[in-house]
Amino acid sequence: MYVGLTRAQRSLSLSYCRRRKRGGEAGECVPSRFLAELAQEDLRHAGAPLPAGEAAQERAAGSERLRQLKAALAR
């Protein structure tokens, strides 16, 4: 995880499974302890609603990235 954090330039997506089969038996998994050390205000959990106003900013940023990609492909 350290390598991912140090090399990510804009964002980093981390994931983990809730259940995993080991030796034919299903068991519960827990997130890495390193996640607790990250600044909580920088984390967004999948499925969790965005704070008020942030959803519009995310859409605008996504639209801008898409516009730039289209412009680059049009050349």
Side-chain angles (χ1 to χ4, degrees):
M1 185 155 102
Y2 176 78
V3 172
L5 288 172
T6 56
R7 296 193 181 185
Q9 294 186 5
R10 292 195 180 159
S11 67
L12 174 68
S13 297
L14 303 171
S15 65
Y16 71 96
C17 59
R18 292 186 181 170
R19 295 185 57 83
R20 174 185 228 160
K21 261 191 169 179
R22 290 184 188 160
E25 293 183 26
E28 297 293 320
C29 296
V30 295
S32 168
R33 62 187 170 94
F34 298 107
L35 291 176
E37 297 176 8
L38 299 174
Q40 294 300 304
E41 62 271 5
D42 292 335
L43 298 179
R44 281 190 229 134
H45 297 275
L50 292 174
E54 198 169 314
Q57 288 176 329
E58 288 286 323
R59 278 193 303 275
S63 294
E64 177 60 20
R65 285 190 298 273
L66 183 57
R67 186 194 64 73
Q68 290 174 355
L69 180 60
K70 286 180 179 179
L73 293 173
R75 294 182 203 163

